[in-house]
Amino acid sequence: LLERMLSEGLEPDRRTYSSVIAAWAKHGDGEKAEALLERMLSKGLEPNVVTFTSVIAARAKHGDGENAEALLERMLSEGLEPDRRTYSSVIAAWAKHGDGEKAEALLER
């Protein structure tokens, strides 16, 4: 759909990218969700907390705690304030990965 929009002269905005990222996240495809986040950033669009959290949730579905936490750190470095869903998603990623210590460490933040 994004390619079709571009071919029709419509430039996707933050809301469009965030919606497609959320769709990939819902299907648990963290790689595609994160690739779209990178594409969004390369277009000069600033993701919000919901956008980052969607990508983190996609990573969490497969227990990818390492990438989920890296995204959390990146989000923080860009000045975005994570919400409960963000932290819960990273905790879920570590829990699914089987690393209760890292999941618990996030509760201390």
Side-chain angles (χ1 to χ4, degrees):
L1 265 174
L2 292 176
E3 300 306 323
R4 184 174 178 184
M5 285 181 70
L6 289 169
S7 72
E8 293 178 11
L10 299 170
E11 189 67 38
D13 60 8
R14 179 170 68 181
R15 177 177 276 163
T16 307
Y17 275 101
S18 293
S19 295
V20 178
I21 288 169
W24 283 120
K26 192 171 191 173
H27 289 289
D29 195 328
E31 288 183 21
K32 286 187 180 175
E34 194 164 347
L36 273 177
L37 174 66
E38 295 302 329
R39 184 170 165 188
M40 180 181 179
L41 290 164
S42 75
K43 300 282 185 183
L45 298 171
E46 293 183 22
N48 58 22
V49 173
V50 174
T51 308
F52 265 102
T53 301
S54 291
V55 180
I56 291 168
R59 291 296 190 178
K61 284 188 177 188
H62 295 285
D64 188 354
E66 194 170 305
N67 279 317
E69 190 157 354
L71 284 160
L72 172 65
E73 295 302 327
R74 185 172 179 188
M75 185 177 160
L76 289 165
S77 73
E78 293 191 21
L80 292 170
E81 188 66 34
D83 59 18
R84 286 185 182 133
R85 183 169 180 257
T86 310
Y87 281 111
S88 294
S89 294
V90 180
I91 290 167
W94 282 122
K96 191 165 189 169
H97 181 72
D99 196 331
E101 288 181 19
K102 288 188 178 177
E104 191 173 341
L106 283 168
L107 291 175
E108 305 299 320
R109 283 187 159 187

